[in-house]
Amino acid sequence: ESVAPCRAVHAVQLAPQPYEDARLGFALRPGLGWRLVATPRGVVAVDGVPWDYEASFQVVVRSYPTVAAYLARHANAHVREGRIVQQGPIDVRGRRAHWMRVVPLAGDMLEDHVFLETGDGRVVIVIMEAPTSLRQDFGPWFDAMLGSLEVRTVGPPPGADP
């Protein structure tokens, strides 16, 4: 199932080279021209400058054994003062994930949250945010970036004993 109603994607172009985070174990091809802001737990791609953008695509990696364990602790932080209007399973590059759409009680932003288990004690969280009035326009971008997300193995730090 697509995370967003998908219009023609002919205008969507992803960056030719992926953003790779070996420390957290993921790679992503952001939208061509989208700016990347690295964070301690992942990366945020925005469609403009960080202080003035319309849409964002955030990847966060947390150490939890399962999505259920992560959500038991952090679900309220994702919903905040909004409400979940849709949720269910989706497929992300052959991996089963949980998706929920959150609508805030105030403001115009619509958020899609995707939670993906890696199988090695990590949960990858993707948060896609755009104004409600522009959500359909950004849907193809979000779908393409989510489809490019690669979960990779995290190895021991350099110099560690095997």
Side-chain angles (χ1 to χ4, degrees):
E1 174 180 333
S2 172
V3 176
C6 204
R7 291 186 185 173
V9 295
H10 66 277
V12 173
Q13 289 184 316
L14 297 181
Q17 296 299 316
Y19 169 85
E20 299 182 20
D21 191 318
R23 181 179 57 89
L24 295 172
F26 74 90
L28 167 77
R29 289 181 56 214
L32 188 61
W34 287 50
R35 297 189 193 277
L36 297 175
V37 180
T39 68
R41 292 189 174 137
V43 68
V44 180
V46 295
D47 74 322
V49 291
W51 58 89
D52 186 23
Y53 65 90
E54 290 185 307
S56 67
F57 185 99
Q58 180 176 356
V59 179
V60 178
V61 180
R62 299 294 305 266
S63 294
Y64 280 85
T66 64
V67 168
Y70 174 81
L71 289 175
R73 175 85 167 99
H74 298 286
N76 288 340
H78 284 272
V79 178
R80 293 181 308 280
E81 299 194 7
R83 62 188 171 89
I84 299 170
V85 294
Q86 289 178 284
Q87 64 180 324
I90 64 166
D91 179 81
V92 177
R93 293 187 72 146
R95 294 176 181 261
R96 186 175 174 91
H98 178 74
W99 162 74
M100 67 182 185
R101 177 164 286 172
V102 177
V103 176
L105 296 180
D108 183 42
M109 298 304 270
L110 185 65
E111 297 177 356
D112 285 304
H113 300 242
V114 175
F115 307 91
L116 177 69
E117 289 177 21
T118 64
D120 62 4
R122 295 175 294 147
V123 172
V124 177
I125 302 109
V126 175
I127 303 169
M128 298 162 277
E129 178 186 57
T132 304
S133 61
L134 298 175
R135 184 60 182 82
Q136 278 193 303
D137 296 333
F138 282 107
W141 290 92
F142 291 156
D143 287 345
M145 287 188 277
L146 185 61
S148 80
L149 179 67
E150 292 180 44
V151 174
R152 297 183 174 175
T153 303
V154 176
D161 290 335

mmCIF file of all heavy atoms in Angstrom, residues 19-55:
data_model
loop_
_atom_site.group_PDB
_atom_site.id
_atom_site.type_symbol
_atom_site.label_atom_id
_atom_site.label_comp_id
_atom_site.label_asym_id
_atom_site.label_seq_id
_atom_site.Cartn_x
_atom_site.Cartn_y
_atom_site.Cartn_z
ATOM 1 N N TYR A 19 22.428 8.946 0.622
ATOM 2 C CA TYR A 19 22.979 9.376 1.906
ATOM 3 C C TYR A 19 23.172 8.090 2.693
ATOM 4 O O TYR A 19 22.233 7.297 2.819
ATOM 5 C CB TYR A 19 21.999 10.310 2.625
ATOM 6 C CG TYR A 19 22.383 10.582 4.055
ATOM 7 C CD1 TYR A 19 23.285 11.593 4.363
ATOM 8 C CD2 TYR A 19 21.863 9.820 5.097
ATOM 9 C CE1 TYR A 19 23.655 11.848 5.678
ATOM 10 C CE2 TYR A 19 22.230 10.066 6.414
ATOM 11 C CZ TYR A 19 23.119 11.077 6.697
ATOM 12 O OH TYR A 19 23.474 11.328 7.993
ATOM 13 N N GLU A 20 24.364 7.855 3.193
ATOM 14 C CA GLU A 20 24.645 6.612 3.903
ATOM 15 C C GLU A 20 25.072 6.922 5.331
ATOM 16 O O GLU A 20 25.921 7.793 5.546
ATOM 17 C CB GLU A 20 25.753 5.830 3.195
ATOM 18 C CG GLU A 20 25.364 5.442 1.785
ATOM 19 C CD GLU A 20 26.425 4.626 1.072
ATOM 20 O OE1 GLU A 20 27.287 4.028 1.755
ATOM 21 O OE2 GLU A 20 26.389 4.587 -0.159
ATOM 22 N N ASP A 21 24.484 6.217 6.284
ATOM 23 C CA ASP A 21 24.856 6.359 7.684
ATOM 24 C C ASP A 21 25.298 4.982 8.185
ATOM 25 O O ASP A 21 24.465 4.156 8.574
ATOM 26 C CB ASP A 21 23.684 6.893 8.507
ATOM 27 C CG ASP A 21 24.105 7.299 9.913
ATOM 28 O OD1 ASP A 21 24.905 6.559 10.541
ATOM 29 O OD2 ASP A 21 23.620 8.335 10.401
ATOM 30 N N ALA A 22 26.606 4.716 8.127
ATOM 31 C CA ALA A 22 27.134 3.413 8.541
ATOM 32 C C ALA A 22 26.986 3.208 10.041
ATOM 33 O O ALA A 22 26.785 2.085 10.502
ATOM 34 C CB ALA A 22 28.602 3.303 8.137
ATOM 35 N N ARG A 23 27.054 4.284 10.810
ATOM 36 C CA ARG A 23 26.952 4.181 12.264
ATOM 37 C C ARG A 23 25.582 3.668 12.686
ATOM 38 O O ARG A 23 25.458 2.813 13.553
ATOM 39 C CB ARG A 23 27.220 5.555 12.888
ATOM 40 C CG ARG A 23 27.166 5.599 14.399
ATOM 41 C CD ARG A 23 27.462 7.012 14.902
ATOM 42 N NE ARG A 23 26.567 8.008 14.359
ATOM 43 C CZ ARG A 23 25.401 8.345 14.919
ATOM 44 N NH1 ARG A 23 24.999 7.780 16.020
ATOM 45 N NH2 ARG A 23 24.648 9.268 14.360
ATOM 46 N N LEU A 24 24.516 4.167 12.039
ATOM 47 C CA LEU A 24 23.153 3.768 12.395
ATOM 48 C C LEU A 24 22.616 2.666 11.497
ATOM 49 O O LEU A 24 21.574 2.090 11.783
ATOM 50 C CB LEU A 24 22.226 4.984 12.360
ATOM 51 C CG LEU A 24 22.549 6.049 13.412
ATOM 52 C CD1 LEU A 24 21.715 7.298 13.189
ATOM 53 C CD2 LEU A 24 22.352 5.506 14.818
ATOM 54 N N GLY A 25 23.274 2.391 10.373
ATOM 55 C CA GLY A 25 22.907 1.275 9.521
ATOM 56 C C GLY A 25 21.741 1.524 8.592
ATOM 57 O O GLY A 25 20.813 0.734 8.534
ATOM 58 N N PHE A 26 21.801 2.610 7.823
ATOM 59 C CA PHE A 26 20.772 2.837 6.811
ATOM 60 C C PHE A 26 21.336 3.693 5.688
ATOM 61 O O PHE A 26 22.358 4.362 5.837
ATOM 62 C CB PHE A 26 19.506 3.473 7.400
ATOM 63 C CG PHE A 26 19.639 4.934 7.746
ATOM 64 C CD1 PHE A 26 19.335 5.927 6.815
ATOM 65 C CD2 PHE A 26 20.055 5.325 9.006
ATOM 66 C CE1 PHE A 26 19.451 7.269 7.139
ATOM 67 C CE2 PHE A 26 20.175 6.664 9.342
ATOM 68 C CZ PHE A 26 19.874 7.642 8.404
ATOM 69 N N ALA A 27 20.660 3.635 4.555
ATOM 70 C CA ALA A 27 20.971 4.501 3.418
ATOM 71 C C ALA A 27 19.650 4.977 2.839
ATOM 72 O O ALA A 27 18.618 4.297 2.948
ATOM 73 C CB ALA A 27 21.779 3.752 2.361
ATOM 74 N N LEU A 28 19.688 6.145 2.225
ATOM 75 C CA LEU A 28 18.478 6.785 1.714
ATOM 76 C C LEU A 28 18.855 7.668 0.538
ATOM 77 O O LEU A 28 19.871 8.359 0.580
ATOM 78 C CB LEU A 28 17.876 7.648 2.833
ATOM 79 C CG LEU A 28 16.793 8.646 2.445
ATOM 80 C CD1 LEU A 28 15.481 7.911 2.228
ATOM 81 C CD2 LEU A 28 16.635 9.694 3.526
ATOM 82 N N ARG A 29 18.050 7.626 -0.497
ATOM 83 C CA ARG A 29 18.222 8.582 -1.602
ATOM 84 C C ARG A 29 17.189 9.680 -1.412
ATOM 85 O O ARG A 29 15.999 9.475 -1.635
ATOM 86 C CB ARG A 29 18.056 7.889 -2.945
ATOM 87 C CG ARG A 29 19.246 6.971 -3.250
ATOM 88 C CD ARG A 29 19.147 6.291 -4.579
ATOM 89 N NE ARG A 29 18.990 7.267 -5.659
ATOM 90 C CZ ARG A 29 18.274 7.051 -6.761
ATOM 91 N NH1 ARG A 29 17.658 5.891 -6.942
ATOM 92 N NH2 ARG A 29 18.178 7.962 -7.691
ATOM 93 N N PRO A 30 17.618 10.864 -0.990
ATOM 94 C CA PRO A 30 16.669 11.965 -0.794
ATOM 95 C C PRO A 30 16.229 12.540 -2.132
ATOM 96 O O PRO A 30 16.822 12.260 -3.171
ATOM 97 C CB PRO A 30 17.475 12.986 0.006
ATOM 98 C CG PRO A 30 18.892 12.726 -0.388
ATOM 99 C CD PRO A 30 18.980 11.230 -0.642
ATOM 100 N N GLY A 31 15.198 13.352 -2.069
ATOM 101 C CA GLY A 31 14.755 14.044 -3.266
ATOM 102 C C GLY A 31 15.874 14.935 -3.802
ATOM 103 O O GLY A 31 16.613 15.540 -3.026
ATOM 104 N N LEU A 32 16.005 14.970 -5.117
ATOM 105 C CA LEU A 32 17.018 15.817 -5.740
ATOM 106 C C LEU A 32 16.746 17.266 -5.346
ATOM 107 O O LEU A 32 15.636 17.770 -5.513
ATOM 108 C CB LEU A 32 16.971 15.657 -7.262
ATOM 109 C CG LEU A 32 18.089 16.317 -8.050
ATOM 110 C CD1 LEU A 32 19.443 15.736 -7.660
ATOM 111 C CD2 LEU A 32 17.860 16.144 -9.541
ATOM 112 N N GLY A 33 17.738 17.921 -4.777
ATOM 113 C CA GLY A 33 17.588 19.307 -4.350
ATOM 114 C C GLY A 33 17.125 19.464 -2.907
ATOM 115 O O GLY A 33 17.140 20.571 -2.383
ATOM 116 N N TRP A 34 16.711 18.379 -2.263
ATOM 117 C CA TRP A 34 16.313 18.460 -0.862
ATOM 118 C C TRP A 34 17.589 18.584 -0.025
ATOM 119 O O TRP A 34 18.606 17.971 -0.316
ATOM 120 C CB TRP A 34 15.519 17.236 -0.447
ATOM 121 C CG TRP A 34 14.131 17.190 -1.004
ATOM 122 C CD1 TRP A 34 13.756 17.361 -2.301
ATOM 123 C CD2 TRP A 34 12.931 16.942 -0.277
ATOM 124 N NE1 TRP A 34 12.399 17.230 -2.428
ATOM 125 C CE2 TRP A 34 11.866 16.966 -1.195
ATOM 126 C CE3 TRP A 34 12.650 16.679 1.066
ATOM 127 C CZ2 TRP A 34 10.542 16.759 -0.816
ATOM 128 C CZ3 TRP A 34 11.327 16.471 1.436
ATOM 129 C CH2 TRP A 34 10.286 16.523 0.509
ATOM 130 N N ARG A 35 17.523 19.374 1.019
ATOM 131 C CA ARG A 35 18.671 19.565 1.909
ATOM 132 C C ARG A 35 18.633 18.532 3.034
ATOM 133 O O ARG A 35 17.566 18.200 3.535
ATOM 134 C CB ARG A 35 18.659 20.957 2.511
ATOM 135 C CG ARG A 35 18.800 22.036 1.465
ATOM 136 C CD ARG A 35 19.015 23.386 2.122
ATOM 137 N NE ARG A 35 18.864 24.463 1.179
ATOM 138 C CZ ARG A 35 19.815 24.880 0.366
ATOM 139 N NH1 ARG A 35 20.979 24.288 0.359
ATOM 140 N NH2 ARG A 35 19.606 25.887 -0.455
ATOM 141 N N LEU A 36 19.818 18.056 3.411
ATOM 142 C CA LEU A 36 19.931 17.069 4.476
ATOM 143 C C LEU A 36 20.514 17.712 5.728
ATOM 144 O O LEU A 36 21.475 18.488 5.643
ATOM 145 C CB LEU A 36 20.826 15.914 4.042
ATOM 146 C CG LEU A 36 20.315 15.090 2.861
ATOM 147 C CD1 LEU A 36 21.349 14.065 2.449
ATOM 148 C CD2 LEU A 36 19.010 14.415 3.222
ATOM 149 N N VAL A 37 19.924 17.372 6.856
ATOM 150 C CA VAL A 37 20.421 17.820 8.150
ATOM 151 C C VAL A 37 20.642 16.562 8.981
ATOM 152 O O VAL A 37 19.679 15.862 9.336
ATOM 153 C CB VAL A 37 19.410 18.758 8.853
ATOM 154 C CG1 VAL A 37 19.948 19.199 10.201
ATOM 155 C CG2 VAL A 37 19.067 19.954 7.966
ATOM 156 N N ALA A 38 21.906 16.245 9.268
ATOM 157 C CA ALA A 38 22.219 15.067 10.080
ATOM 158 C C ALA A 38 21.831 15.342 11.527
ATOM 159 O O ALA A 38 21.965 16.467 12.019
ATOM 160 C CB ALA A 38 23.699 14.731 9.979
ATOM 161 N N THR A 39 21.331 14.317 12.203
ATOM 162 C CA THR A 39 20.960 14.406 13.610
ATOM 163 C C THR A 39 21.666 13.272 14.360
ATOM 164 O O THR A 39 22.156 12.331 13.726
ATOM 165 C CB THR A 39 19.429 14.286 13.798
ATOM 166 O OG1 THR A 39 19.028 12.948 13.469
ATOM 167 C CG2 THR A 39 18.684 15.294 12.931
ATOM 168 N N PRO A 40 21.708 13.326 15.673
ATOM 169 C CA PRO A 40 22.376 12.244 16.411
ATOM 170 C C PRO A 40 21.761 10.864 16.161
ATOM 171 O O PRO A 40 22.447 9.856 16.247
ATOM 172 C CB PRO A 40 22.211 12.652 17.875
ATOM 173 C CG PRO A 40 22.046 14.139 17.833
ATOM 174 C CD PRO A 40 21.305 14.416 16.548
ATOM 175 N N ARG A 41 20.477 10.794 15.820
ATOM 176 C CA ARG A 41 19.808 9.511 15.616
ATOM 177 C C ARG A 41 19.357 9.289 14.179
ATOM 178 O O ARG A 41 18.557 8.400 13.923
ATOM 179 C CB ARG A 41 18.604 9.409 16.545
ATOM 180 C CG ARG A 41 19.006 9.320 17.995
ATOM 181 C CD ARG A 41 17.822 8.999 18.869
ATOM 182 N NE ARG A 41 18.249 8.789 20.230
ATOM 183 C CZ ARG A 41 17.627 9.265 21.285
ATOM 184 N NH1 ARG A 41 16.533 9.986 21.130
ATOM 185 N NH2 ARG A 41 18.069 9.011 22.493
ATOM 186 N N GLY A 42 19.832 10.101 13.227
ATOM 187 C CA GLY A 42 19.406 9.886 11.854
ATOM 188 C C GLY A 42 19.665 11.081 10.966
ATOM 189 O O GLY A 42 20.715 11.715 11.028
ATOM 190 N N VAL A 43 18.653 11.414 10.164
ATOM 191 C CA VAL A 43 18.788 12.513 9.213
ATOM 192 C C VAL A 43 17.402 13.072 8.902
ATOM 193 O O VAL A 43 16.398 12.355 8.979
ATOM 194 C CB VAL A 43 19.490 12.041 7.907
ATOM 195 C CG1 VAL A 43 18.614 11.080 7.123
ATOM 196 C CG2 VAL A 43 19.913 13.217 7.042
ATOM 197 N N VAL A 44 17.364 14.348 8.563
ATOM 198 C CA VAL A 44 16.129 14.992 8.115
ATOM 199 C C VAL A 44 16.395 15.571 6.729
ATOM 200 O O VAL A 44 17.394 16.272 6.527
ATOM 201 C CB VAL A 44 15.680 16.126 9.067
ATOM 202 C CG1 VAL A 44 14.389 16.769 8.570
ATOM 203 C CG2 VAL A 44 15.516 15.618 10.488
ATOM 204 N N ALA A 45 15.519 15.268 5.781
ATOM 205 C CA ALA A 45 15.580 15.866 4.443
ATOM 206 C C ALA A 45 14.442 16.877 4.355
ATOM 207 O O ALA A 45 13.295 16.560 4.697
ATOM 208 C CB ALA A 45 15.416 14.798 3.364
ATOM 209 N N VAL A 46 14.752 18.098 3.937
ATOM 210 C CA VAL A 46 13.727 19.142 3.804
ATOM 211 C C VAL A 46 13.758 19.694 2.386
ATOM 212 O O VAL A 46 14.801 19.708 1.733
ATOM 213 C CB VAL A 46 13.914 20.281 4.839
ATOM 214 C CG1 VAL A 46 13.699 19.760 6.258
ATOM 215 C CG2 VAL A 46 15.264 20.958 4.717
ATOM 216 N N ASP A 47 12.608 20.161 1.925
ATOM 217 C CA ASP A 47 12.501 20.623 0.541
ATOM 218 C C ASP A 47 12.870 22.092 0.387
ATOM 219 O O ASP A 47 12.504 22.730 -0.589
ATOM 220 C CB ASP A 47 11.082 20.396 0.015
ATOM 221 C CG ASP A 47 10.096 21.387 0.602
ATOM 222 O OD1 ASP A 47 10.216 21.732 1.789
ATOM 223 O OD2 ASP A 47 9.204 21.836 -0.114
ATOM 224 N N GLY A 48 13.567 22.618 1.307
ATOM 225 C CA GLY A 48 14.019 24.010 1.244
ATOM 226 C C GLY A 48 15.149 24.181 2.234
ATOM 227 O O GLY A 48 15.873 23.237 2.532
ATOM 228 N N VAL A 49 15.272 25.354 2.771
ATOM 229 C CA VAL A 49 16.275 25.576 3.811
ATOM 230 C C VAL A 49 15.682 25.156 5.147
ATOM 231 O O VAL A 49 14.460 25.196 5.323
ATOM 232 C CB VAL A 49 16.738 27.053 3.830
ATOM 233 C CG1 VAL A 49 17.534 27.377 2.578
ATOM 234 C CG2 VAL A 49 15.568 27.992 3.996
ATOM 235 N N PRO A 50 16.512 24.724 6.090
ATOM 236 C CA PRO A 50 15.980 24.193 7.349
ATOM 237 C C PRO A 50 15.060 25.143 8.110
ATOM 238 O O PRO A 50 14.181 24.702 8.835
ATOM 239 C CB PRO A 50 17.236 23.881 8.165
ATOM 240 C CG PRO A 50 18.284 23.614 7.135
ATOM 241 C CD PRO A 50 17.963 24.550 5.998
ATOM 242 N N TRP A 51 15.219 26.435 7.928
ATOM 243 C CA TRP A 51 14.376 27.370 8.673
ATOM 244 C C TRP A 51 13.141 27.802 7.893
ATOM 245 O O TRP A 51 12.305 28.531 8.416
ATOM 246 C CB TRP A 51 15.187 28.592 9.113
ATOM 247 C CG TRP A 51 15.815 29.326 7.965
ATOM 248 C CD1 TRP A 51 15.258 30.331 7.232
ATOM 249 C CD2 TRP A 51 17.102 29.099 7.406
ATOM 250 N NE1 TRP A 51 16.113 30.729 6.238
ATOM 251 C CE2 TRP A 51 17.260 29.992 6.330
ATOM 252 C CE3 TRP A 51 18.145 28.218 7.703
ATOM 253 C CZ2 TRP A 51 18.413 30.036 5.568
ATOM 254 C CZ3 TRP A 51 19.285 28.270 6.941
ATOM 255 C CH2 TRP A 51 19.423 29.174 5.892
ATOM 256 N N ASP A 52 12.987 27.337 6.659
ATOM 257 C CA ASP A 52 11.821 27.733 5.862
ATOM 258 C C ASP A 52 11.541 26.664 4.807
ATOM 259 O O ASP A 52 11.955 26.770 3.669
ATOM 260 C CB ASP A 52 12.074 29.083 5.195
ATOM 261 C CG ASP A 52 10.834 29.604 4.471
ATOM 262 O OD1 ASP A 52 9.712 29.182 4.820
ATOM 263 O OD2 ASP A 52 10.997 30.424 3.544
ATOM 264 N N TYR A 53 10.834 25.604 5.188
ATOM 265 C CA TYR A 53 10.534 24.509 4.283
ATOM 266 C C TYR A 53 9.055 24.156 4.384
ATOM 267 O O TYR A 53 8.372 24.558 5.320
ATOM 268 C CB TYR A 53 11.401 23.285 4.598
ATOM 269 C CG TYR A 53 11.122 22.689 5.961
ATOM 270 C CD1 TYR A 53 10.163 21.690 6.115
ATOM 271 C CD2 TYR A 53 11.785 23.129 7.093
ATOM 272 C CE1 TYR A 53 9.885 21.156 7.358
ATOM 273 C CE2 TYR A 53 11.517 22.592 8.334
ATOM 274 C CZ TYR A 53 10.564 21.613 8.469
ATOM 275 O OH TYR A 53 10.291 21.090 9.693
ATOM 276 N N GLU A 54 8.579 23.388 3.406
ATOM 277 C CA GLU A 54 7.183 22.957 3.443
ATOM 278 C C GLU A 54 7.036 21.500 3.829
ATOM 279 O O GLU A 54 6.084 21.142 4.497
ATOM 280 C CB GLU A 54 6.517 23.198 2.084
ATOM 281 C CG GLU A 54 6.320 24.667 1.815
ATOM 282 C CD GLU A 54 5.559 24.921 0.543
ATOM 283 O OE1 GLU A 54 5.967 24.399 -0.507
ATOM 284 O OE2 GLU A 54 4.555 25.641 0.619
ATOM 285 N N ALA A 55 7.964 20.652 3.402
ATOM 286 C CA ALA A 55 7.842 19.220 3.682
ATOM 287 C C ALA A 55 9.153 18.692 4.238
ATOM 288 O O ALA A 55 10.230 19.201 3.917
ATOM 289 C CB ALA A 55 7.472 18.465 2.405
#
